[in-house]
Amino acid sequence: MTSLSNRIALVTGASRGIGRAVALELARRGAHVIALARTQGALEELDDEIRKLGGEATLVPCDLADHEAIDRLGAAIHERWGRLDILVGNAGLLGVLSPLGHIDPKEWDKVMSVNVTANWRLIRSLDPLLQRSDAGRVVFMSSGASTRAEPRAYWGLYATTKAALDMIARSYAAETKNITNIRVSMFNPGPLRTAMRAKAMPGEDPMTLKTPEDAAPAIAALCAPDWNETGKLYDFPQGKLLSFRDPA
Ligand code: NAP
């Protein structure tokens, strides 16, 4: 298990599901976790668990749809630590599963705001701090929805946001490659036993799925200073790194 001792790590969507498991895994490896989500009570429970592991966390109750709060977060991290070593951009919304023509514009804007724009705003706010790390590591949570050859009907909103997020991650990787110590990864969890998956697939038996705790070590590996790939997608179901290709 790679040590992340003294690394400063921001995890968005840390109140439950994949983000919570990642926050615990990073803390277990010695990172100081800055845990962000809207639900303060769940963040406090996470804090208790991190303390039990002998770790430390800073809680950030925040709605990522409030983009100016993301700028304030960057300023606060700068003030306290002067750098950021790890960003896990995990928070996301499923949004409504519906024909594109039936989606309420407010719903469209809300999901785009959290899944896409907030992640760009995180880069905008935190890039100078990641540059000040000796090994800035960034992981964004992708999805099979954005990469599958046959898009699923009615998943258009969610899939569009994940495709946009992939391109934000790949563009950031291209911008930082060779000239900085930053490495950017995308992670496809595949189906994991979380609230989002249960909402998407209500008929599925959750006990047939892998858990966020199963996936967390693979995500933590992408956060380690010795991880040197950038602009690639780690596919958890296949357990391997994938490169993007030009269309045939
Ligand atoms: P989840 O159980 O629904 O958790 C989502 C997390 O995001 C929660 O901590 C939630 O916290 C946070 N969040 C949502 N909206 C937010 C906002 N406006 N501001 C701040 N935080 C917000 O989902 P999950 O299954 O763990 O998914 C995590 C990521 O993996 C997502 O990006 C998802 O698209 C991706 N993914 C999941 C699966 C899967 O099978 N589970 C598959 C592929 C991709 P609060 O509600 O407390 O704010």
Side-chain angles (χ1 to χ4, degrees):
M1 187 165 93
T2 320
S3 167
L4 296 175
S5 180
N6 300 320
R7 311 301 286 170
I8 310 298
L10 170 63
V11 180
T12 71
S15 60
R16 61 171 187 267
I18 300 170
R20 185 176 202 277
V22 171
L24 284 165
E25 184 69 27
L26 298 181
R28 193 173 292 118
R29 293 174 189 226
H32 180 104
V33 175
I34 306 167
L36 182 151
R38 290 167 301 181
T39 313
Q40 181 151 0
L43 290 179
E44 284 165 7
E45 283 169 27
L46 171 70
D47 190 35
D48 290 345
E49 278 209 39
I50 288 179
R51 276 169 206 271
K52 275 188 218 147
L53 296 171
E56 271 186 7
T58 297
L59 307 184
V60 183
C62 169
D63 185 342
L64 287 168
D66 176 359
H67 297 149
E68 284 172 12
I70 297 173
D71 294 343
R72 292 194 293 276
L73 174 63
I77 295 173
H78 174 74
E79 184 122 317
R80 179 149 170 207
W81 292 285
R83 70 173 209 280
L84 182 67
D85 301 306
I86 297 167
L87 163 62
V88 181
N90 160 81
L93 294 170
L94 177 66
V96 66
L97 301 180
S98 156
L100 285 167
H102 296 190
I103 298 172
D104 183 295
K106 281 198 189 122
E107 172 76 358
W108 180 275
D109 288 346
K110 184 177 77 183
V111 181
M112 289 296 278
S113 167
V114 173
N115 291 12
V116 181
T117 310
N119 283 307
W120 162 64
R121 293 291 294 250
L122 283 165
I123 290 175
R124 185 174 176 274
S125 173
L126 302 173
D127 171 62
L129 298 169
L130 289 160
Q131 301 236 18
R132 291 182 71 170
S133 169
D134 58 354
R137 298 289 175 264
V138 178
V139 182
F140 286 113
M141 220 43 71
S142 183
S143 164
S146 69
T147 48
R148 53 193 300 139
E150 285 272 335
R152 272 202 193 106
Y154 315 133
W155 282 64
L157 169 54
Y158 178 76
T160 298
T161 65
K162 290 298 178 180
L165 178 58
D166 285 351
M167 199 40 100
I168 288 172
R170 294 170 66 195
S171 301
Y172 187 45
E175 289 165 13
T176 51
K177 195 175 178 173
N178 300 329
I179 54 167
T180 74
N181 293 321
I182 297 172
R183 305 286 181 269
V184 186
S185 303
M186 289 140 272
F187 187 88
N188 173 29
L192 295 184
R193 195 189 306 158
T194 69
M196 183 187 286
R197 179 72 190 182
K199 184 178 169 206
M201 300 284 179
E204 185 175 68
D205 176 1
M207 298 317 284
T208 60
L209 302 177
K210 289 199 169 169
T211 65
E213 291 70 27
D214 293 329
I219 299 169
L222 307 179
C223 299
D226 64 2
W227 181 263
N228 268 314
E229 298 282 354
T230 198
K232 299 208 171 145
L233 172 75
Y234 186 88
D235 188 69
F236 181 61
Q238 295 185 72
K240 69 179 190 190
L241 207 58
L242 305 177
S243 298
F244 289 84
R245 298 210 187 111
D246 287 330

